[in-house]
Amino acid sequence: MTKEQQIQPNLLEQNNAPIYEALKEFSRKHVVPFDVPGHKRGRGNPELVKLLGKQCIELDVNSMKPLDNLCHPISVIKEAESLCAKAFGAKHAFLMVGGTTSAVQTMVLTASKKGEKIILPRNVHRSVINALVVNGATPIYVNPDTDKRLGIALGMKISQIEKAIEENPDAVAILVNNPTYYGICSNLKKIVELAHANNMMVLVDEAHGTHFYFGENMPISAMAAGADMSCVSMHKSGGSLTQSSVLLTGENVSPGYVRQVINLTQTTSASYLLLASLDISRRNLALRGKEAFAKVVEMAEYGRQEINKIGGYYAYGSEIINRDSVYDFDKTKLSIFTLDIGLAGIEVYDLLRDEYDIQMELGDIGNTLAYISIGDRMREMERLVSALYDIRRRYHKDRTGMFDHEYINPSVVMTPQEAFYAPKEEMLPIRECNGRICTEFVMSYPPGIPILAPGERITQEIIDYILYAKEKGCSMTGAEDENIERLNVIKEATTY
């Protein structure tokens, strides 16, 4: 049997979309709705129908026997999850409607519990640390290197992982960001080998790596590397609706237990619009993903070349690979360093949106990111390049006095759970918090990587960074004080 003949039956199977097909059949029957949702196929809310369309509202239905139930799937949802697992090369797949935040938290809650250690990079998404607040596990942070020019955190070095394992042989898991928001990939396969040799699970936040499973010549995917669990934001580069995601597991993870953990926090009223979008998107990528992501890479590479010709900007790519802290690079990520034109990334982000009607994915102190995916077209890429050229022409200035780094290594004093629930002093003005222990989060969103997390000591460098980020227009979130003018800190009488 040829390789093509071996693949063909799988492709035929992937042509199915069980949830979508069940919804179409349900729609044909005109079932009288004496159940929720209360809009009753839109009749009770005509303005919502006008906004979203009749077909969309009619498919916003509740769980019922013909449509299965996400909390305990036995029919069409189970079939869809099985097809999803096969498409991603996983043992099991779970459709998630609480975003990849819910999937990340499921991984952490599955792998660890109160008092147990989990090794992870500090530049994780807030959802990871939120999970530690909930379950009380102890983070063992691997502080990644930073690129001195770009100011961004890089991947975890193997030497750093080895050191963390040697110093914490009782750790139960290692969590890896792969890729990061900026496209940085770690040596995932080697990390898996080290972890499994030391009886530790490997959890991968693969939110930005859907295309690793379907494109060619991509960095290795978590499942291909042998990871135990991975979460994939299908809505980011995979084309499904916002908030829909997939959780993948390997051979040695109990699917029944994972389902129990999911059901601790995920809704019992799953949106069939989100579920159907996952089902259809999986089918689309399984059948057409190879060609689609080849075009994505082509667009991103074109954008990199043209932006770098402008001068002043640096759209970085595979040239930053060093096979260590940058083991590989996601070529679909079009990250643009802006400081050499005298503008912060967030300033370029704001200019693109306000003056050129171009919405970027993120803007931070030194970078802005164009998220390229299957829905993009070359004409929009050319429009972005032209706008960046115009911004440089109109707004270029000297960069003296600008901050040049995104990531500050924190001093961790307490676990996130201990700090979050510890006795708090009245909120102090942020300028008076130097040396105190923070009990809450402070972060720019996106990317949602905490500048401060519960249990970390506040330093003058961090205070200066927060004030500078606010001044430049970064969207700051996480703290109780929505203006981030005051912070919750541990009472001074408490000693740590």
Side-chain angles (χ1 to χ4, degrees), residues 306-350:
E306 294 302 308
I307 291 166
N308 287 333
K309 289 177 185 176
I310 296 171
Y313 299 108
Y314 176 33
Y316 39 99
S318 299
E319 73 280 356
I320 69 172
I321 293 173
N322 59 24
R323 305 305 281 180
D324 192 7
S325 56
V326 187
Y327 185 78
D328 208 344
F329 184 79
D330 176 8
K331 291 180 288 188
T332 72
K333 299 295 185 294
L334 184 56
S335 299
I336 307 159
F337 179 69
T338 66
L339 291 185
D340 287 340
I341 67 165
L343 295 175
I346 186 62
E347 292 176 308
V348 174
Y349 170 99
D350 286 340

Side-chain angles (χ1 to χ4, degrees), residues 226-246:
D228 298 286
M229 302 182 77
S230 168
C231 53
V232 180
S233 288
M234 281 284 276
H235 69 92
K236 288 186 169 70
S237 61
S240 63
L241 290 178
T242 296
Q243 200 176 307
S244 59
S245 183
V246 173

Side-chain angles (χ1 to χ4, degrees), residues 262-446:
I262 290 171
N263 287 339
L264 291 175
T265 57
Q266 186 162 253
T267 179
T268 55
S269 302
S271 165
Y272 277 87
L273 297 174
L274 296 182
L275 292 174
S277 82
L278 284 169
D279 201 20
I280 293 168
S281 298
R282 179 270 314 154
R283 180 175 68 179
N284 180 50
L285 295 182
L287 299 178
R288 294 175 284 275
K290 177 180 169 182
E291 295 78 12
F293 288 120
K295 291 179 181 176
V296 170
V297 171
E298 180 185 356
M299 270 187 287
E301 294 285 31
Y302 169 81
R304 249 186 291 279
Q305 292 169 11
E306 294 302 308
I307 291 166
N308 287 333
K309 289 177 185 176
I310 296 171
Y313 299 108
Y314 176 33
Y316 39 99
S318 299
E319 73 280 356
I320 69 172
I321 293 173
N322 59 24
R323 305 305 281 180
D324 192 7
S325 56
V326 187
Y327 185 78
D328 208 344
F329 184 79
D330 176 8
K331 291 180 288 188
T332 72
K333 299 295 185 294
L334 184 56
S335 299
I336 307 159
F337 179 69
T338 66
L339 291 185
D340 287 340
I341 67 165
L343 295 175
I346 186 62
E347 292 176 308
V348 174
Y349 170 99
D350 286 340
L351 286 167
L352 285 168
R353 182 194 62 236
D354 296 342
E355 297 195 19
Y356 300 89
D357 294 328
I358 295 173
Q359 181 62 57
M360 301 292 274
E361 171 64 15
L362 72 80
D364 52 34
I365 296 302
N367 302 268
T368 187
L369 170 68
Y371 209 103
I372 317 300
S373 193
I374 58 176
D376 286 296
R377 299 173 296 182
M378 193 63 82
R379 72 181 73 166
E380 279 89 10
M381 180 60 68
E382 291 168 349
R383 183 172 165 184
L384 172 61
V385 172
S386 296
L388 289 170
Y389 175 85
D390 201 44
I391 287 172
R392 181 187 183 279
R393 180 183 62 83
R394 295 172 61 195
Y395 297 101
H396 180 274
K397 60 185 178 181
D398 187 83
R399 64 171 287 182
T400 302
M402 301 191 74
F403 272 50
D404 61 358
H405 55 277
E406 300 297 335
Y407 175 75
I408 301 171
N409 286 336
S411 171
V412 181
V413 183
M414 304 165 62
T415 69
Q417 187 183 68
E418 288 171 333
F420 190 82
Y421 292 111
K424 297 175 178 62
E425 197 160 298
E426 183 180 357
M427 285 191 289
L428 295 181
I430 188 169
R431 296 179 188 276
E432 298 176 16
C433 291
N434 187 18
R436 305 298 293 272
I437 301 169
C438 191
T439 67
E440 56 187 350
F441 292 93
V442 181
M443 71 201 80
S444 295
Y445 195 89

Side-chain angles (χ1 to χ4, degrees), residues 68-69 72-79:
D68 210 351
N69 188 306
H72 185 76
I74 57 173
S75 58
V76 294
I77 295 177
K78 187 173 183 178
E79 291 172 27

Side-chain angles (χ1 to χ4, degrees), residues 21 36 220 227 249 302 363 398:
E21 290 155 11
V36 297
I220 192 169
T249 62
Y302 169 81
D398 187 83

